Amino acid sequence: MAQIVTTQPGTTIVVQQTQAVRGWNSGLFSCFDDIGGCLFGWCCPCCLLCSLSTRMGEGFAYGCCCYEIAPFTLRAKLRAEQHIEGSLCNDAITILFCGECTLCQMDRELKAIGK
């Protein structure tokens, strides 16, 4: 864990802790790691999206009402909160080309951290 220390005029010292980034607990195409979650994601991706939204504290309605942007914002939120490497561009590409696999990966990640 690294510390960034900056001194501002007026002798105010700000100490910010940064945490190392890590990879996902499972790969994008690791569907056999959780067959039940994978089948749920492939059969009803909208239901899985609502489940992810609820488990991440955004509420059931966010996944239902904002289904066009919810996968993007939830993936970015999960990456930020769990210090997972990646970028918004990478998120967009994975969601656009394999949305169900992306939702399943997010589901496995939440299960791995106990949510």
Side-chain angles (χ1 to χ4, degrees):
M1 189 157 336
Q3 287 187 355
I4 301 171
V5 179
T6 55
T7 305
Q8 299 295 325
T11 66
T12 302
I13 297 175
V14 178
V15 177
Q16 180 181 6
Q17 300 250 346
T18 59
Q19 193 171 25
V21 284
R22 64 176 179 84
W24 291 90
N25 282 320
S26 65
L28 187 62
F29 302 110
S30 299
C31 294
F32 292 110
D33 291 351
D34 180 16
I35 296 292
C38 184
L39 289 174
F40 182 46
W42 278 99
C43 294
C44 192
C46 294
C47 295
L48 180 57
L49 180 61
C50 292
S51 171
L52 292 171
S53 178
T54 302
R55 290 162 46 202
M56 292 180 66
E58 296 299 326
F60 185 82
Y62 180 68
C64 294
C65 298
C66 303
Y67 62 90
E68 299 94 356
I69 63 166
F72 300 99
T73 57
L74 291 174
R75 186 168 175 90
K77 179 181 178 178
L78 182 58
R79 277 191 316 96
E81 287 179 349
Q82 298 302 316
H83 306 286
I84 299 171
E85 64 186 352
S87 67
L88 293 175
C89 182
N90 189 3
D91 292 344
I93 290 169
T94 56
I95 290 167
L96 288 174
F97 289 103
C98 197
E100 288 83 4
C101 293
T102 305
L103 294 177
C104 291
Q105 183 186 36
M106 292 168 58
D107 181 52
R108 289 190 303 273
E109 189 69 31
L110 287 175
K111 287 177 182 175
I113 62 172
K115 288 188 175 183

